[in-house]
Structure formats: structure tokens, C-alpha cells
Amino acid sequence: FATDTRVPYPYQLQAGFEVERRMEEGKHHHLIVLPTGSGKTYTAKITLKELIEHKKVEKGVLVLTHRDEILGQLHREFDEVVPGWNATIVSAAQRKSDFNGKVVIASVQTLVNRLVQLDPNQFDLVISDEAHHVPSPTWIKILHHMGILGERGVANEPIEKNHIGLTATPIRADDIPLA
């Protein structure tokens, strides 16, 4: 992280502060809405760094994406977000899944077929990149396995895990709400 010379914009810092404030209020479902190209992934990175440093996240983080093509980008952002927090990737290109990182970055299409290998207790935070996909059956199955959503996609409360969704499009054309 020390080699990252970018300076966060005030709106990126504010998003992180709001997530942390909501966590302190006991809320577990958070949505960061920023326009395309405004640095949602970087915002998630600086938010995660603060949450780790303030002991709001201690076990591990599962980062979900719907596209294999951005696994490498997410890995570069989240690897060593703080010293000792290495990131690993779970993708179709790998025969064996690596769930040993403190940050596990996974394609939902691959992960949904490897859920038996995923221990939900390993993580206390899930980040959903492009969270407008969360209402789909594949995402619901994974988030249900993690204890974040019920089988029908309804937010489970009370839970101890936090979920942060990232999106530029919080309103879906089918009017299905984001959890």
C-alpha cells in the first residue's frame, strides 16, 4: 500500500467514513454508488484499509465479481492492502481454488460451483463488485452460503458479517432492489 501514490478524492473518503459509521450503528449491508470511472475499486480498497486498521474487519474478505477479466485488476488493488493481508484468486483457470488469502477474490461463476470448499467463517466482510448483479440466482446462492442473504435474496438479520456492494447503477430496470 505504501507504493500507492494516489490521493483519494474527498467523495471516496466520505464513502468509507459512511460505511464505517453505519457499521458502528450495527448495520451490515452497505452500498457504495459512484459513477463509472470514479474509482469504486480504489474506494473499496481505502475503505477496507481503514476497516482493518480500526479492527472492524479481522478475519478476512471475500471479493466477488461477475467477470473473470477483472480478477487481475482486483488482485492488484487488494493484495497487501495492509501488510500481511495477501490476496488470492479463485477462477475457472485454476484447477484448485486458493482460499488461503486474507483477501479472496472470486468470479461468481466459478465460486458457485466450489461453494463446498468455501468456509463462510473465514470471512467477516464480503465485497460485491458491480452489486447490481446481486439479485441474480448465482449471487444469491453465494451470499446465502455466506450467511448474508436468505435463499430468496432477502437480507438476513441479525448477522455478524458485513456486505459492501459497489455499483454505478443502483436502480435496476426490473425494479428488483439491491440488498
Side-chain angles (χ1 to χ4, degrees):
F1 196 77
T3 59
D4 192 339
T5 59
R6 293 176 287 183
V7 176
Y9 288 104
Y11 67 86
Q12 292 172 314
L13 294 171
Q14 185 63 36
F17 295 145
E18 287 301 316
V19 168
E20 189 166 4
R21 180 188 61 76
R22 288 174 45 83
M23 283 182 178
E24 289 170 357
E25 292 175 355
K27 295 184 171 92
H28 297 285
H29 298 278
H30 316 279
L31 187 63
I32 295 176
V33 179
L34 294 173
T36 301
S38 61
K40 287 181 288 298
T41 303
Y42 180 65
T43 300
K45 174 185 180 172
I46 61 175
T47 299
L48 177 58
K49 181 180 183 297
E50 290 296 313
L51 294 174
I52 293 168
E53 290 175 350
H54 295 154
K55 305 287 188 210
K56 302 280 191 277
V57 174
E58 298 180 280
K59 291 181 184 178
V61 180
L62 176 63
V63 180
L64 301 172
T65 184
H66 72 294
R67 292 184 21 229
D68 279 346
E69 298 82 32
I70 62 173
L71 290 169
Q73 173 194 345
L74 292 169
H75 184 267
R76 285 187 297 279
E77 255 336 321
F78 288 107
D79 193 37
E80 295 293 326
V81 64
V82 295
W85 279 68
N86 67 311
T88 58
I89 295 176
V90 175
S91 73
Q94 302 169 311
R95 286 193 164 169
K96 186 174 185 231
S97 297
D98 186 355
F99 293 107
N100 294 319
K102 288 289 276 184
V103 180
V104 175
I105 301 161
S107 147
V108 294
Q109 294 85 351
T110 301
L111 187 60
V112 75
N113 295 313
R114 299 181 186 179
L115 281 180
V116 295
Q117 300 171 39
L118 179 66
D119 178 7
N121 297 316
Q122 178 182 342
F123 308 98
D124 45 10
L125 175 64
V126 176
I127 298 174
S128 296
D129 186 43
E130 304 296 340
H132 51 275
H133 293 287
V134 166
S136 75
T138 304
W139 287 71
I140 289 171
K141 186 173 182 178
I142 293 168
L143 294 173
H144 173 66
H145 178 80
M146 294 300 297
I148 290 173
L149 294 179
E151 288 183 49
R152 299 179 137 200
V154 178
N156 280 349
E157 294 290 349
I159 59 171
E160 294 182 17
K161 283 186 188 66
N162 283 288
H163 179 229
I164 299 174
L166 308 171
T167 189
T169 53
I171 298 172
R172 293 171 45 103
D174 58 10
D175 293 326
I176 296 174
L178 301 182

